[in-house]
Amino acid sequence: MINDANLTRYIESVPRLHLGNFPTPLQPMPRLAAALDGSAVYVKRDDSSGFGGGGNKVRALEYIMPEAMNRDADVLVTAGVVQSNSARQVAAAAARVGMGCHVLMVTDRVSGTDADYAETGNVFLGRLFGATFEPISIHDNREQRVQAAVDRLKRQGRTPYVVPYGCSNQLGATGYLHAALEIAHQVEMIGVGLTHVVHASGTGGTQAGLIAGFAALDLGIEVIGIDVDADPVGVRRRVNTRLTELTEALGLPPMPDRVEIDSGYSAGAYGVADDAVVEAIRMGARLEALLLDPVYSGKGLAGLIGLTQANYVRPDAHGLFLHTGGEPAHFAHRSLFTT
């Protein structure tokens, strides 16, 4: 029986705006498991969170939005690359509560893109939710550009609230404390001794929340973050920052040794997909009808497949792939799948 009293008490102390459909399903993937020589593999369907196209940032926004509303904000300001899943979900959250949304969009981080890369997928949906977009460069000082946008909006009589890049701060990471609790109860109910969780990791909040949540529940579940940025040092630093905030809040000891980042499936750059990532996306679709994007969740599944095939995990292990969403980005990367 899971002793969840302390973790539940902390989570319930943080104001929450219910946006998504939780708990999301936790399902076996028998056909993928068979393709991986019978290794037990499950998927946590946070792509099915249901709000604004779904994805992992919905959990984060459930805890970020109450602070924005408490500050009487009337416009959310955030930043992201052109096909940012996070920006799309922020725009949806703004629409839900009647706020505006302004996105500083990094237009030059990913090269060699499809002709309509900046008009389809997440950008299209963001505009449909009512967001406005302001182009910036990867070479700009992002914090300064965000502050300039905030100052401009204030001069216009608006009350802006900044949602951090990737919705990654202590409030946002609280969403994945809740996810850890949710996963623990689901695997207990089906009688699975979960050994490890694999997911795409970038801004750090998702991985930090899972690590802290499992630690608070005294569960030795390994959380493996698949680096999507080709920047394992930076990803580790970001996860550690969020993890330190959460462990201090929960009264847990520091645990930097539990931060595991694998950079072997990043395809060498953010927004780039190599053959292993494309093949993982095809396998997810054709074996389990999962839709994975080439920037985040596709790299996550490539990591799960690769680590399993390399015998990184025990033959009797029970692995869980956390599907963090990103389906709209498919439409901006169609050329990857035309051959």
Side-chain angles (χ1 to χ4, degrees):
M1 189 74 175
I2 296 170
N3 183 2
D4 61 4
N6 290 337
L7 181 59
T8 299
R9 190 178 304 114
Y10 175 77
I11 293 170
E12 291 182 348
S13 73
V14 183
R16 179 184 182 190
L17 174 67
H18 290 268
L19 295 171
N21 299 326
F22 299 115
T24 55
L26 191 149
Q27 303 167 333
M29 295 195 285
R31 282 170 46 77
L32 180 62
L36 297 176
D37 298 323
S39 300
V41 185
Y42 298 80
V43 58
K44 176 64 170 166
R45 297 292 305 273
D46 273 11
D47 61 315
S48 300
S49 54
F51 176 77
N56 61 326
K57 307 307 182 185
V58 176
R59 290 189 187 270
L61 286 161
E62 289 198 331
Y63 292 93
I64 290 172
M65 290 302 295
E67 182 176 77
M69 296 165 71
N70 188 53
R71 294 184 182 182
D72 296 322
D74 61 7
V75 57
L76 302 180
V77 179
T78 195
V81 293
V82 171
Q83 284 298 328
S84 168
N85 296 312
S86 175
R88 179 248 307 163
Q89 290 163 88
V90 171
R96 168 64 67 86
V97 300
M99 294 183 189
C101 179
H102 186 67
V103 179
L104 288 90
M105 188 169 68
V106 181
T107 59
D108 56 354
R109 186 173 183 184
V110 181
S111 60
T113 57
D114 290 12
D116 59 353
Y117 173 73
E119 300 298 329
T120 188
N122 285 310
V123 178
F124 173 80
L125 293 179
R127 289 200 173 102
L128 193 61
F129 290 133
T132 56
F133 292 86
E134 174 182 345
I136 64 172
S137 170
I138 190 65
H139 304 295
D140 289 339
N141 182 307
R142 189 172 68 218
E143 288 72 23
Q144 288 181 0
R145 291 296 302 267
V146 168
Q147 188 58 52
V150 165
D151 293 342
R152 184 174 68 248
L153 287 163
K154 286 181 176 178
R155 290 195 297 271
Q156 295 169 1
R158 308 293 297 274
T159 305
Y161 177 90
V162 176
V163 177
Y165 201 75
C167 300
S168 184
N169 60 8
Q170 183 178 340
L171 283 174
T174 303
Y176 271 86
L177 291 177
H178 186 261
L181 184 62
E182 200 174 283
I183 290 167
H185 283 297
Q186 287 175 316
V187 296
E188 182 182 53
M189 193 157 41
I190 62 177
V192 171
L194 192 66
T195 54
H196 60 284
V197 176
V198 179
H199 69 94
S201 193
T203 53
T206 297
Q207 188 169 2
L210 290 176
I211 294 169
F214 291 143
L217 296 170
D218 199 25
L219 297 174
I221 299 172
E222 184 179 18
V223 182
I224 306 169
I226 303 301
D227 167 23
V228 300
D229 289 335
D231 178 22
V233 173
V235 174
R236 182 180 299 277
R237 182 181 66 251
R238 292 188 287 273
V239 176
N240 265 317
T241 298
R242 301 284 84 84
L243 182 58
T244 298
E245 293 168 346
L246 293 176
T247 53
E248 288 179 353
L250 290 164
L252 296 171
M255 50 189 71
D257 57 317
R258 293 187 67 160
V259 177
E260 189 165 350
I261 307 295
D262 193 305
S263 60
Y265 304 92
S266 68
Y270 175 89
V272 174
D274 59 12
D275 291 344
V277 174
V278 172
E279 179 58 21
I281 293 170
R282 291 190 192 279
M283 288 179 69
R286 294 176 182 180
L287 296 178
E288 298 293 347
L290 295 179
L291 296 176
L292 307 163
D293 77 289
V295 182
Y296 297 101
S297 55
K299 292 183 178 182
L301 188 63
L304 177 77
I305 292 169
L307 291 171
T308 303
Q309 291 174 333
N311 296 318
Y312 177 86
V313 295
R314 303 192 315 263
D316 61 341
H318 290 78
L320 178 69
F321 170 60
L322 173 64
H323 191 334
T324 51
E327 292 92 327
H330 275 104
F331 301 101
H333 296 273
R334 295 188 304 279
S335 61
L336 288 173
F337 305 98
T338 56
T339 58

